[in-house]
Amino acid sequence: MDATDKKLLELLQHDTKKTTKELSVKLNLSVTAVYERVKKLEREGFIEKYVVLLNRNKINKGFVVFCHLKLLQHTKEFINQFEKEVVKLNEVLECFHVSGDYDYILKICVKDMREYREFMVTKLTSLQHIGSTHSTFVIGEVKNTTAFTI
């Protein structure tokens, strides 16, 4: 990956709707050269997919919770079973297996506290092998980006 590829990835991270022609002007390359570079970056796995980022407040998912979770035991069976089940929960946007006092951190987006309580009671706590949870509610968002500096 050269400097032009890095610049191309930077441009695409900020606006994937830019046309190949618009990108070619910014990169001082031909349209064909930009097209080929994008295809190469896709083939090599630098670009995994293209998505639309929604405004969670507009779709009634503005209540953000980070839920720290402990499993009863750290056996391979418990870990595999929990991970298999948690990925099915639509409210969970991100799930990280972490070190420290807790085993997992979940990022959960729902409409409000009532919906979060319903999620906890009917979905999350019904998963097997959960020992304890600790919820932290987002008061305000200081930074939220999907773009990497390359």
Side-chain angles (χ1 to χ4, degrees), residues 43-86:
R43 270 192 319 277
E44 293 177 356
F46 288 97
I47 298 173
E48 290 186 4
K49 63 183 175 178
Y50 299 90
V51 298
V52 171
L53 300 176
L54 302 178
N55 179 330
R56 66 177 166 261
N57 293 310
K58 295 278 188 181
I59 59 167
N60 289 323
K61 301 293 179 192
F63 191 72
V64 181
V65 182
F66 289 98
C67 181
H68 298 74
L69 189 139
K70 277 187 194 177
L71 297 182
L72 291 171
Q73 295 178 17
H74 299 111
T75 65
K76 186 175 182 178
E77 175 193 341
F78 279 28
I79 290 169
N80 288 340
Q81 183 64 35
F82 170 76
E83 290 178 0
K84 189 172 140 185
E85 292 175 10
V86 78

Side-chain angles (χ1 to χ4, degrees), residues 130-148:
I130 293 179
S132 65
T133 63
H134 174 84
S135 299
T136 304
F137 307 102
V138 172
I139 295 170
E141 187 172 279
V142 177
K143 180 179 181 179
N144 182 349
T145 184
T146 60
F148 291 100

